[in-house]
Amino acid sequence: MLDMISGVKIPDSRMARDATEFVRQLEDEMLYNHSVRVYFFGALNGMRRNLPFDAELLYVAALFHDLGLVDSHHSPTKRFEVDGADAARDFLKSHGIADPQADLVWEAIALHTTPGIPQYMKPEIALTNAGVLMDVIGIGFDDFTPGQRDEVVAAFPRHDFKGAFIRAQTCSALKKPETTFGTVNFDYIEYRDPTFRKPNACTRILNAPWAE
């Protein structure tokens, strides 16, 4: 395993090592490798743009961002992003991290699938989102050199990432479909069952218990 790629190093603090051990025990190889790739792509993005960011907080956000897809942290009613965000905040607070920093990581994880907002927020939030978009759908692919991409994937292989990731997300979405309303997570249900009808915002407005 490489822990230094193009000047980006995995943090070597006690908290970062504990985070690695914690997440690695819960996630399968597909999700764990994806999470670390998100860190590298996010950090490389930040370095290229000269953004000041806390590498340790970015690393924890990246590691925990999909923990809500794991059974042990999969609540029955919350969006999976919130499940992961809650777990990360609890972990950080157990390591003595102050509320502002723990809340920053919470926001980075909770918003990592929300389009059009994270890129305008603090670097750790923007870079978590950017790392996810790069690794999942290739946004910003050509902003990285072939060497950078190859090193990240060699250290944390993709294998059958596309299919396995869709299956993991679909499994989560099908368990609590109501949490997908207004999010990209509905797409996983629609991909599995094209006949499924998502709730319509206009219908909800018209059916609201107001006279007008």
Side-chain angles (χ1 to χ4, degrees):
M1 183 183 77
L2 293 176
D3 62 1
M4 173 77 82
I5 295 175
S6 295
V8 171
K9 190 180 191 319
I10 291 178
D12 192 34
S13 65
R14 173 63 184 272
M15 186 177 75
R17 293 194 300 271
D18 286 350
T20 300
E21 182 177 359
F22 182 82
V23 173
R24 202 163 194 179
Q25 289 177 348
L26 296 171
E27 292 187 346
D28 61 18
E29 183 182 14
M30 183 274 292
L31 279 181
Y32 174 75
N33 283 1
H34 162 60
S35 297
V36 184
R37 292 195 305 269
V38 165
Y39 166 71
F40 275 108
F41 288 132
L44 287 167
N45 184 315
M47 288 180 59
R48 185 178 65 250
R49 296 163 58 191
N50 293 316
L51 293 178
F53 64 91
D54 186 312
E56 194 175 40
L57 295 182
L58 178 61
Y59 182 64
V60 172
L63 276 187
F64 279 76
H65 84 278
D66 274 344
L67 197 63
L69 298 176
V70 176
D71 287 344
S72 61
H73 287 78
H74 193 274
S75 75
T77 58
K78 296 178 183 178
R79 284 176 55 170
F80 88 90
E81 302 94 329
V82 173
D83 288 333
D86 286 348
R89 182 160 57 189
D90 289 345
F91 172 86
L92 289 167
K93 293 179 77 169
S94 75
H95 282 72
I97 301 302
D99 286 347
Q101 287 73 41
D103 290 345
L104 176 63
V105 172
W106 190 95
E107 292 171 10
I109 298 171
L111 293 171
H112 82 266
T113 64
T114 300
I117 294 175
Q119 64 263 42
Y120 301 109
M121 301 181 73
K122 292 181 179 179
E124 293 80 6
I125 300 173
L127 296 176
T128 299
N129 173 251
V132 169
L133 292 176
M134 166 59 181
D135 198 56
V136 177
I137 55 178
I139 290 180
F141 188 86
D142 291 331
D143 293 332
F144 298 86
T145 68
Q148 288 173 329
R149 297 193 302 263
D150 290 347
E151 280 190 81
V152 173
V153 173
F156 302 95
R158 291 178 65 88
H159 300 309
D160 175 32
F161 174 74
K162 293 179 180 179
F165 186 72
I166 289 174
R167 287 191 293 273
Q169 289 279 9
T170 302
C171 181
S172 173
L174 289 172
K175 288 178 181 177
K176 42 185 178 181
E178 69 282 354
T179 67
T180 69
F181 176 69
T183 78
V184 298
N185 301 325
F186 168 77
D187 293 345
Y188 298 107
I189 298 177
E190 189 176 50
Y191 183 79
R192 171 74 174 269
D193 180 9
T195 66
F196 182 83
R197 290 181 60 84
K198 68 177 178 179
N200 183 279
C202 295
T203 301
R204 294 182 69 170
I205 293 170
L206 293 172
N207 290 336
W210 295 102
E212 185 45 74

